[in-house]
Structure formats: structure tokens, C-alpha cells
């Protein structure tokens, strides 16, 4: 399967398939944390990025928001409201439930990012995405062009993503015990990688009937797509910690590759 729209639809099925598995493992604890520990799901690195923009009276948006816990946490840091977008019906339903329980002004919209409804153009002051967002997007130019439309004039885009170099390696659950961290996937790939083991990165379990397809994007591809969309890159920093869940064992390796990065870009 190489057709971009077909992979999006297949990935939607795969995310809907795993939603109940994720919920069984973390939904109750997630709800408790959001209600009792404001900002819990924004780690210190990304918290500093968001707070640098003075969140008061700002509307935040997140693409590929999953169950909404990061957006809800971000709004709890002092923003006026939040809007989360995701293509999974099941995860959007979870996000709405979590926001309601936490009494946070966050709205969640089920949509293909490429088919963003016009009602959400110029809807947010700050838009962010976090680990594991870009790998589901076949066309980054269209993706960041949509981000530009969703932001109000002068808005800011933040990425806190898995480093593309790290994605050349197998995630924890795909490596055998004691297997070293070798380069497994090429850095430059023209077609998506197919996984048949499901998306249960919390339980580290392999399962599933729905194949999932992910795209590997180089740093230069990411940078250029952001620039072409009408943004100016203001900040870029790389880190040796895992901001996903897929490579936690690698954090204990004595020699680590770049594992995550932060990028800020402003509309021009």
C-alpha cells in the first residue's frame, strides 16, 4: 500500500483498533492525573517552551492529539482554551471525556488534518505537536500549510518530536533482549514502513489485525516544509532523552543518539 490517502484510512483503522487497549491500561490514571496534577503531561523541556509565549488569553491547538492529555495539560498551564485534532473516532471520544472530567476548556475535533474544516482557520494562537505525530503524515508540506491556516496572524508553531535519527533504530519492543541499538531503517525512504504488530506501545505487546504504516521524514524535509508553509524557524534544540514511550531502554545506553528535538517557528 503506497497511496497516501489509503494509508491514512488504514492507519485510522489501526488507531481505532488500539484505543480500547490503551484505555484499559491508562485511562483511569490519566483522568486522575489531569484532575489532581495540572500540567502533568507536559514535561519540563516543553513546559518552558510553552510558557515562554505567555499563555494567558491564548488559544492552543494540537494536531494528532490522541486522547488529549497533552492539550488538556497545556491549557492547565494558563491558556484560555484548547482545540485538539485527530482522525481517530475512539481517541477523540476519550479526549472529550477527559476534558469534561478535568473541567478544562478544550474542544476535540475528529478530522483528517489534510481535510481541516474552514471553521478552524485562524482559530489558535499557538499550535503544537508532540512525539509520534509526523510519522503518520505522508505530505509534510500540506500538513504545515494546514498548520499555518489554523494559526492566527503572528502565531507560533512548536514541535517536540522524536528525532529522525532515532527512528532509524528499532523501538524497544522490536529489539530482542540484549540486542544492541543498530541502524535498522534507512534515513532516506520513499515509501512508508509497514508494521503488523499493532500500536500497543504502553504494554509493549504485539497484537492486531490492522497493519499500520509510518513515514520517515528527514530533518531537512521537516525544516523545508515548515519554511515553505510560511514560517520562520526561531529555535531548534536536540536532546538525548526519549519524549515518546518507544525508546525508554535506550536512555540507559552509555552512548545515545539524538533522541528528541524542539523546534519553534513563527508565522511571517
Amino acid at each position: 500500500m503506497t497511496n497516501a490517502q489509503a494509508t491514512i484510512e488504514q492507519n485510522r483503522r489501526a488507531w481505532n483498533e488500539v484505543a480500547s487497549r490503551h484505555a484499559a491500561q491508562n485511562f483511569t490514571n490519566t483522568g486522575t492525573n489531569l484532575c489532581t496534577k495540572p500540567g502533568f503531561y507536559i514535561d519540563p523541556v516543553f513546559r518552558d517552551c510553552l510558557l515562554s509565549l505567555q499563555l494567558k488569553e491564548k488559544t492552543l491547538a494540537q494536531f494528532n492529539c490522541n486522547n488529549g492529555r497533552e492539550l488538556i495539560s497545556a491549557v492547565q498551564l494558563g491558556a484560555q482554551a484548547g482545540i485538539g485534532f485527530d482522525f481517530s473516532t475512539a481517541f477523540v471520544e476519550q479526549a472529550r471525556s477527559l476534558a469534561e472530567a478535568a473541567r478544562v476548556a478544550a474542544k476535540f475535533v475528529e478530522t483528517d488534518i489534510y481535510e481541516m474544516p474552514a471553521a478552524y482557520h485562524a482559530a489558535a494562537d499557538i499550535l503544537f505537536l508532540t512525539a509520534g505525530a509526523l510519522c503518520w503524515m505522508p505530505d509534510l508540506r500540506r500538513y504545515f500549510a494546514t498548520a499555518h491556516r489554523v494559526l492566527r496572524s503572528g502565531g507560533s508553531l512548536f514541535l517536540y518530536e522524536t528525532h529522525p535519527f532515532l527512528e532509524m533504530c528499532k523501538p524497544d519492543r522490536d529489539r530482542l533482549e540484549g540486542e544492541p541499538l543498530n541502524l535498522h531503517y534507512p534515513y532516506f525512504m520513499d515509501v512508508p514502513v509497514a508494521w503488523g504488530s499493532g500500536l500497543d506501545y504502553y504494554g509493549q505487546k504485539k497484537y492486531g489485525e490492522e497493519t499500520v504504516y509510518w513515514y520517515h521524514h528527514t530533518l531537512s524535509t521537516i525544516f523545508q516544509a515548515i519554511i515553505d508553509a510560511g514560517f520562520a524557524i526561531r529555535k531548534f534544540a536536540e536532546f538525548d532523552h526519549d519524549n515518546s514511550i518507544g525508546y525508554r531502554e535506550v536512555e540507559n545506553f552509555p552512548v545515545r543518539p539524538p533522541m528528541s528535538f524542539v523546534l519553534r517557528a513563527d508565522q511571517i
Side-chain angles (χ1 to χ4, degrees):
M1 179 182 292
T2 57
N3 177 269
Q5 192 57 45
T7 61
I8 290 171
E9 293 304 320
Q10 177 59 34
N11 287 342
R12 188 199 309 267
R13 288 189 286 271
W15 279 106
N16 282 328
E17 178 186 45
V18 78
S20 62
R21 298 178 67 94
H22 283 199
Q25 296 172 75
N26 65 22
F27 189 78
T28 299
N29 286 340
T30 299
T32 299
N33 288 333
L34 290 172
C35 290
T36 61
K37 303 171 185 177
F40 183 81
Y41 291 104
I42 304 296
D43 76 18
V45 169
F46 198 45
R47 181 184 298 248
D48 288 346
C49 292
L50 291 174
L51 292 179
S52 70
L53 291 180
Q54 306 299 319
L55 299 184
K56 186 177 180 180
E57 299 182 356
K58 300 285 181 65
T59 297
L60 308 181
Q62 183 183 13
F63 282 179
N64 308 82
C65 68
N66 197 263
N67 70 2
R69 66 182 193 172
E70 292 165 330
L71 179 66
I72 295 168
S73 292
V75 174
Q76 289 174 327
L77 296 179
Q80 177 174 282
I83 312 170
F85 303 94
D86 200 277
F87 67 177
S88 166
T89 303
F91 277 108
V92 166
E93 290 174 351
Q94 290 182 24
R96 290 169 178 164
S97 178
L98 290 170
E100 181 179 4
R103 298 183 179 180
V104 169
K107 177 180 182 178
F108 293 93
V109 180
E110 179 188 345
T111 184
D112 179 341
I113 300 298
Y114 295 127
E115 303 297 330
M116 181 64 62
Y120 298 104
H121 292 181
D125 303 288
I126 301 165
L127 189 153
F128 69 89
L129 48 133
T130 56
L134 295 182
C135 62
W136 308 112
M137 310 312 300
D139 186 340
L140 291 191
R141 288 176 181 266
R142 289 180 61 201
Y143 185 71
F144 289 118
T146 304
H148 196 280
R149 289 194 296 274
V150 167
L151 283 167
R152 295 168 182 152
S153 178
S156 294
L157 170 71
F158 270 118
L159 282 65
Y160 185 33
E161 255 286 12
T162 303
H163 201 290
F165 188 96
L166 184 63
E167 291 180 328
M168 297 174 68
C169 308
K170 294 180 184 177
D172 294 341
R173 69 176 186 153
D174 287 346
R175 292 196 317 280
L176 301 175
E177 185 175 354
E179 182 179 353
L181 190 71
N182 295 321
L183 299 182
H184 181 75
Y185 299 105
Y187 190 66
F188 301 97
M189 289 193 287
D190 295 326
V191 296
V193 174
W195 276 352
S197 56
L199 290 160
D200 188 5
Y201 42 79
Y202 286 106
Q204 301 293 319
K205 299 287 181 63
K206 297 184 179 182
Y207 76 95
E209 298 179 0
E210 300 292 352
T211 301
V212 65
Y213 295 86
W214 64 271
Y215 294 82
H216 186 271
H217 302 292
T218 66
L219 276 180
S220 59
T221 299
I222 296 168
F223 285 14
Q224 195 62 54
I226 291 170
I227 293 168
D228 290 346
F231 292 97
I233 295 173
R234 305 298 190 195
K235 174 184 175 68
F236 177 70
E238 300 167 287
F239 305 99
D240 65 351
H241 65 260
D242 176 34
N243 68 332
S244 64
I245 297 178
Y247 298 89
R248 293 297 167 87
E249 293 178 7
V250 180
E251 290 185 314
N252 298 318
F253 285 22
V255 177
R256 296 182 294 278
M259 299 181 71
S260 56
F261 72 88
V262 160
L263 185 152
R264 172 187 168 182
D266 296 339
Q267 282 190 348
I268 53 174

